[in-house]
Amino acid sequence: MHTASPHSPAPADRLAAGHPAPHILLVDDEEMNRDMLSRRLAKCGYSVTTAASGRESLDALERSHVDLVLLDVQMPGMSGLQVLEAIRGAEATARLPVIMVTAKTQSDDIVVALDRGANDYVTKPVDLSVALARIRTQLARRHAELRLVESEERYALAVQGSNDGLWDWKIATDEAYFSPRCKAIMGLDDEAASMTANAWFDRVHPDDFGRLRHALDGHLAGLTPQFENEHRVRVSDQQYRWVLARGVAVRGPDRAPVRVAGSLTDITEGKVADALTGLPNRVLFLDRLSWLLEREARDPERHFAVLFLDLDRFKDVNDSLGHHAGDQLLIEAARRLDRGLRGTDPASAARPRTATASHDVLARFGGDEFAIALDDVRTATEASRVAKRLVDVMLEPFHIDGQEIFISVSIGVALSTPGCTSEDLLRDADTALYRAKSAGRCRWEIFDGKMRDQVIERVKLEADLRHAVERGQFALLYQPIVSLADRTVKGFETLLRWDHPERGRIAPIDFIKVAEDTGLIVPMGLWVVDEVCRQIREWESTGVIAEQFTVSVNLSTRQLAQADLVDRVAAIVRHHGVQPTRLEFEITESAMMANPEVARRLVGDMKMLGFRISLDDFGTGYSSLSYLQHFAVDRLKIDRSFLTDATTPDWESHGIIAAVIALARHLRADVVAEGIETSSQLARVEALGCDFGQGYYFARPMRPKPVASLLEMALPPADVA
Amino acid sequence: MATLLIVEDNDLNRDMLSRRLARRGHSIVLACDGPEGLTKAYTTAPDLILMDMSLPVMDGWEVTRRLKRDPVTAGIPIIALTAHAMAEDKSTALLAGCDEFETKPIDFERLIDTVTRLLERRASGHHAGGNLA
C-alpha cells in the first residue's frame, strides 16, 4: 500500500473549497493497474492510497479517512464483493461511496455488487474520463448527503422552538452558516451567501465580547461540555439585542474541534423586562430614551418628557408587611401607573396629544422607582396633566393580603431640551422628584432653570460650609435662660452662627439642613462642644457663673445616629476638665421620636455620665406619656409656636402649656417657655407655673463678652448659691 | 455606616449622587476636582471612593493611579464613573487600579450593589491592596 499526492490544481469536484483533496482508496491485486490508475488520479488532484488485497484495504479504511473506494471485484483471497460487504457492515463506512471495477464480461457480479450496496461501477480497461465522471458524481452525492446530516445535527443541537436561529461554524475554513432565523435575529442580510464567523463576532457588544470569546475558547479547548453565552448583538446603528448562544463542538479523530454548531435564541424580552412587574427595565428604558433623543436631534419640533417616580414610604410597607406584600403592592402600582399613563381611566379625558403617543414607556428601575418617557409633550402643562393623573390613580387604597394600604407617589418631571443627554434628563427628573418629596410627597414637580439654580446654590452653600468647618468661620452665641421666680439668669442656650466671608452672618435655619444632609454636622457638633467647654472654663476662672449654672447645646437627628457621639463628647469634656452637670444637651421631640430606641440608649448613656438632657420644641411632636417615662429627661422646652403663633387660639395654646407643665411635674422635669417676646406672653406662662423663660423679651443671643458683663452685673451676693 | 468620598465636578451630578447615597445611610465626603479628591482621600480616610474620570485640573485616571501607588490609600476601593460605555475605558480604568466601573447614566440599584459588595469585601479584609490605615 502506498499513497500518492495530488500534483495538479484542485479538481472542480472537491468536497468543499479549502478542504484537502478528496481521498480515494484504490484496491486492486494487479500492481500495474494500481500504479497506472493511482498516478492518473493523483494528476487530477486526488489523493490516492492503494491496497493490494481486500484485507489491506480494510486496514487502510480503519487507519485513515477515505472519501471514496475504487474496488476491484476479482481478487484472490478476499473478493471485492466480500470487501464491499465488510465496508457496508461497518458503521463508519456504511455510507462510503464505493465504485466497483470489473471486467465487461462479469455483468452478474455487477448486479450482485449493486445489490449489496455498491454505488456504481466502471469496467476494465478503465476509461479514465468515465471513471473520473463517476467519481465526481459519487463525491458530489456524498457531499450533499453529508450536508443533510450536518443540518440534521444542527437541529439536534438546537433547542426546541422554531424561534431559535441555527448556526454552524467550520473552524478550519472559518466558513459560517447562519439559518434565516439566525440572520434575522442578528440583523444580517439574508442575501449574503457565504459568511465567516466574524459576521457574528463583529456585531457583539464590546462589553460582552470578552466573555463570549472566553466561553467559546473554553469549550473548544474541551474544558466545557457545552458552549453557552449570553451577549448583545448590534442589529442596527444604536440597537442591540440580547441573545443566548448555545453550541457543541464536533471533534475530529484527534479530539481537535472541526466545527461548532448550535442555536441562537433572542432573549431580549427577558433581559429588558422587569421580572416582577413585566414592565420594561432600565436597559430598555435607556434604549428608548436614546431613540427619542436621536429623533429630537433630527426633528427639533418633537419633544418628550421624562418622569421619575417613587412610591412614598414604600420601605415602611415592605418592612412592616413583608416582601410578599411589598411585591404585590409594586405589581398593583405598576398596573395603576400603566392605566394612568394610557388615560383609560374613565374619569380623565385622554390627553390631547398626537396619535403616535404609543412611544410612551413605563419602566421599573428597581425597588419602588419607576420611570416614564412621555412622548410628544411640548409644555410643562401637558406633562403636569399626566403627572396629576398618575398621582390621582394611586390615591385609592390598595388591597393587599386582605389589608387596606394607602400609598402615594411622588413624581419629578424633566422636559427634553435640544442637546440634552439621557443622563441630564434622568438627573433633572430625579432632582425634581427630590423636590417633590421635600415639599411633602404625593405631588409632582417640574424641573426648571430655577431648580437648577437652587441646586447650584445649595451645592455652593455645601462647599462653603465645608470650608467654614475647616477655617473656623463659626461662632457661638449665648441666649440667657431666666428663672421666672426671681428673674435671674440660670443658664444659656448655645446658638451657632456662621460668619460667611461674603454673605455675612448666616442663621442655623439656613445651613443646619445642609450640614445634616452632608454629615458636616458631626464635626461641627464636636467643635461646638469643644468651644462651649472652653468658654465654661473661662467663665469659671473669672468667677462669673454660679455652680448651678448650665449651658445647653443642641443635638440634631444625625448626631443622635453618630455611634461614637457619647465617647467623643465625654473625651472633650474630660479634656477641658468641665463638670458634666454644667452641660445640657437639647434634643428635639421629633428627633427623639424619629428613632426612639437609639435616642433612649443615648439619653441613658448621657445621663450616666452626668450630663443633663432636655426635650426641645416640645408639644409639636406626638410623643406619648408612656414613651417619655423611659427617657428620664431633666427639662421640657415648650415650643415657641404656642406663644408666638397667631393662628393658634389662646385658649388652645393655654391648654397645651398647662398640660406640658403637668406632664413635666409628673416626669420630675422642669419647664422652659421659649420665644417670650412680650410682657403679656411672660405673664401667661408665669401664671401657668412655668419655671424658666427664654426669648427676646429678656435677651437676644449674645456674644461671650457681653454675656460676661451681664453676668457680672447680675451678680448680687444672694444669687451665688 | 461607611464614609464614601465622591469626586465629581458636575454640581448637579454630585448633588444627586450624594443625596441618594446618603439616603442609604452612608456618610458622604465630597470633592470637586482631582487635587481635592486626592487630599480628601488622605484626610477623611473614606471606606470607598466614587471617581468621575473626566475631572478638571487632574483627571480621575491620574488621581486613581496616585492613590493606588501609595500603600496607605491603595486599599480603598475605587469605582470609576465614566460617560462612555466603551470597552477601552473599562480596561483603562481597571489598569489604572479602579476596582469597579460604572457608566453614566448611573444605574443606582447596581451602584448600590457594587458599593455594598466592595464594602463587604473590604470589611472582610479580602482586598488585595490591604489598607494600612
Side-chain angles (χ1 to χ4, degrees), chain B residues 16-86:
Chain B
M16 180 177 68
L17 268 173
S18 63
R19 184 154 40 73
R20 299 192 119 218
L21 288 165
R23 209 154 71 195
R24 305 286 177 136
H26 296 297
S27 169
I28 308 297
V29 178
L30 298 170
C32 309
D33 58 35
E36 193 186 354
L38 199 59
T39 314
K40 291 277 165 72
Y42 282 96
T43 55
T44 65
D47 298 297
L48 187 144
I49 301 173
L50 289 145
M51 182 90 67
D52 178 33
M53 284 298 160
S54 52
L55 291 167
V57 191
M58 181 198 294
D59 68 16
W61 313 111
E62 184 53 30
V63 179
T64 302
R65 272 189 287 272
R66 292 197 188 189
L67 290 174
K68 289 296 178 182
R69 257 204 312 264
D70 186 340
V72 176
T73 50
I76 307 172
I78 298 178
I79 301 177
L81 308 176
T82 122
H84 320 286
M86 299 310 292

Side-chain angles (χ1 to χ4, degrees), chain A residues 36-37 40 101 122-131:
Chain A
M36 187 185 64
L37 197 53
R40 296 173 79 179
V101 183
V122 288
T123 53
K124 290 180 179 177
V126 174
D127 178 333
L128 190 68
S129 55
V130 172

Side-chain angles (χ1 to χ4, degrees), chain A residues 8-73:
Chain A
S8 69
D13 54 356
R14 273 183 173 188
L15 274 175
H19 267 225
H23 186 197
I24 295 175
L25 176 63
L26 174 59
V27 192
D28 200 314
D29 60 318
E30 279 182 48
E31 197 183 346
M32 237 177 51
N33 288 350
R34 284 202 308 272
D35 276 2
M36 187 185 64
L37 197 53
S38 68
R39 258 188 293 112
R40 296 173 79 179
L41 285 173
K43 256 188 197 159
C44 294
Y46 294 104
S47 150
V48 184
T49 297
T50 55
S53 69
R55 185 68 48 208
E56 212 178 291
S57 73
L58 293 180
D59 286 350
L61 280 173
E62 235 165 74
R63 260 198 303 275
S64 60
H65 172 82
V66 170
D67 293 309
L68 185 141
V69 181
L70 276 172
L71 182 58
D72 187 17
V73 176

Side-chain angles (χ1 to χ4, degrees), chain B residues 2-14:
Chain B
T3 301
L4 311 184
L5 169 61
I6 300 172
V7 193
E8 159 75 77
D9 64 312
N10 182 302
D11 292 338
L12 292 155
N13 286 344
R14 199 171 58 236

Side-chain angles (χ1 to χ4, degrees), chain A residues 66-175:
Chain A
V66 170
D67 293 309
L68 185 141
V69 181
L70 276 172
L71 182 58
D72 187 17
V73 176
Q74 272 208 320
M75 290 187 294
M78 201 178 182
S79 76
L81 288 175
Q82 283 171 307
V83 174
L84 176 65
E85 244 165 318
I87 287 174
R88 289 290 173 253
E91 204 191 330
T93 53
R95 307 191 64 79
L96 179 65
V98 177
I99 298 175
M100 305 305 286
V101 183
T102 172
K104 258 184 194 145
T105 51
Q106 296 168 317
S107 53
D108 291 351
D109 287 344
I110 293 165
V111 175
V112 174
L114 291 176
D115 247 8
R116 293 186 185 175
N119 298 89
D120 207 344
Y121 70 96
V122 288
T123 53
K124 290 180 179 177
V126 174
D127 178 333
L128 190 68
S129 55
V130 172
L132 285 174
R134 293 194 172 162
I135 288 169
R136 269 200 297 272
T137 307
Q138 287 309 317
L139 286 174
R141 187 196 55 75
R142 178 65 183 148
H143 180 52
E145 195 178 273
L146 280 174
R147 275 224 320 243
L148 186 67
V149 172
E150 279 177 13
S151 76
E152 275 168 6
E153 279 174 28
R154 280 177 200 135
Y155 281 102
L157 289 165
V159 288
Q160 295 300 311
S162 57
N163 268 337
D164 291 332
L166 302 167
W167 52 270
D168 186 350
W169 176 33
K170 292 200 175 97
I171 294 161
T173 60
D174 194 24
E175 232 184 320

Side-chain angles (χ1 to χ4, degrees), chain A residues 599-615:
Chain A
R600 199 177 58 81
R601 230 174 303 137
L602 183 98
V603 169
D605 291 352
M606 288 288 215
K607 296 278 293 178
M608 195 90 90
L609 290 169
F611 297 116
R612 287 168 54 88
I613 302 289
S614 64
L615 269 188

Side-chain angles (χ1 to χ4, degrees), chain A residues 486-719:
Chain A
D486 61 8
R487 300 289 200 273
T488 56
V489 177
K490 293 294 189 192
F492 291 107
E493 176 178 353
T494 310
L495 297 162
L496 190 61
R497 288 292 181 271
W498 176 12
D499 291 316
H500 192 284
E502 290 137 39
R503 300 163 59 175
R505 180 160 294 185
I506 301 177
I509 194 165
D510 294 322
F511 66 82
I512 287 296
K513 175 119 187 28
V514 176
E516 285 232 323
D517 288 351
T518 53
L520 285 166
I521 194 79
V522 170
M524 283 165 61
L526 294 175
W527 176 83
V528 169
V529 174
D530 188 70
E531 175 59 18
V532 163
C533 286
R534 196 199 54 75
Q535 187 63 64
I536 288 173
R537 289 302 284 169
E538 191 185 304
W539 285 332
E540 281 176 347
S541 69
T542 54
V544 292
I545 52 173
E547 215 173 284
Q548 301 298 311
F549 210 89
T550 60
V551 181
S552 67
V553 170
N554 291 283
L555 289 182
S556 74
T557 316
R558 179 70 179 261
Q559 285 172 287
L560 295 187
Q562 188 189 341
D564 61 353
L565 178 72
V566 177
D567 293 343
R568 299 287 290 272
V569 166
I572 293 169
V573 172
R574 223 176 11 251
H575 171 76
H576 286 281
V578 166
Q579 285 298 314
T581 48
R582 281 261 192 241
L583 277 172
E584 178 172 298
F585 290 95
E586 296 192 8
I587 304 169
T588 63
E589 188 188 5
S590 56
M592 192 168 281
M593 296 315 291
N595 198 341
E597 244 338 278
V598 171
R600 199 177 58 81
R601 230 174 303 137
L602 183 98
V603 169
D605 291 352
M606 288 288 215
K607 296 278 293 178
M608 195 90 90
L609 290 169
F611 297 116
R612 287 168 54 88
I613 302 289
S614 64
L615 269 188
D616 204 5
D617 300 345
F618 195 77
T620 52
Y622 300 94
S623 43
S624 65
L625 180 58
S626 62
Y627 244 114
L628 284 175
Q629 279 174 324
H630 295 295
F631 282 96
V633 297
D634 299 285
R635 174 172 283 177
L636 300 183
K637 297 187 83 173
I638 301 175
D639 192 72
R640 59 176 60 238
S641 64
F642 295 112
L643 283 183
T644 54
D645 186 1
T647 59
T648 312
D650 274 357
W651 60 266
E652 194 183 319
S653 56
H654 194 88
I656 291 171
I657 295 168
V660 169
I661 292 168
L663 182 61
R665 299 284 173 262
H666 181 82
L667 297 170
R668 296 177 206 291
D670 57 37
V671 180
V672 178
E674 284 192 279
I676 299 175
E677 286 171 5
T678 65
S679 57
S680 67
Q681 287 170 345
L682 172 63
R684 268 168 65 197
V685 295
E686 212 170 9
L688 286 166
C690 258
D691 304 297
F692 301 95
Q694 183 183 345
Y696 283 9
Y697 177 75
F698 297 113
R700 290 171 176 262
M702 295 184 275
R703 290 271 187 197
K705 236 198 190 99
V707 165
S709 2
L710 174 89
L711 290 173
E712 268 164 25
M713 285 195 307
L715 210 62
D719 199 44

Side-chain angles (χ1 to χ4, degrees), chain A residues 206-207 282 286 308 365-366 369 422-423 426-427 430-431 434 452 455 458-459 462 466 470 518 558, chain B residues 10-16 19-20 22-23 27-28 30 32 36 40 85 87 104-107 109:
Chain A
D207 283 359
R282 191 175 180 281
L286 291 180
F308 211 58
F365 265 31
E369 285 179 357
S422 50
E423 188 189 350
L426 282 171
R427 183 199 55 217
D430 182 85
T431 302
Y434 173 64
R452 190 191 309 269
V455 168
R458 196 190 114 100
V459 162
E462 216 174 282
R466 279 183 285 146
E470 289 155 17
T518 53
R558 179 70 179 261
Chain B
N10 182 302
D11 292 338
L12 292 155
N13 286 344
R14 199 171 58 236
D15 179 64
M16 180 177 68
R19 184 154 40 73
R20 299 192 119 218
R23 209 154 71 195
S27 169
I28 308 297
L30 298 170
C32 309
E36 193 186 354
K40 291 277 165 72
K104 296 178 182 179
I106 299 294
D107 179 345
E109 290 297 314

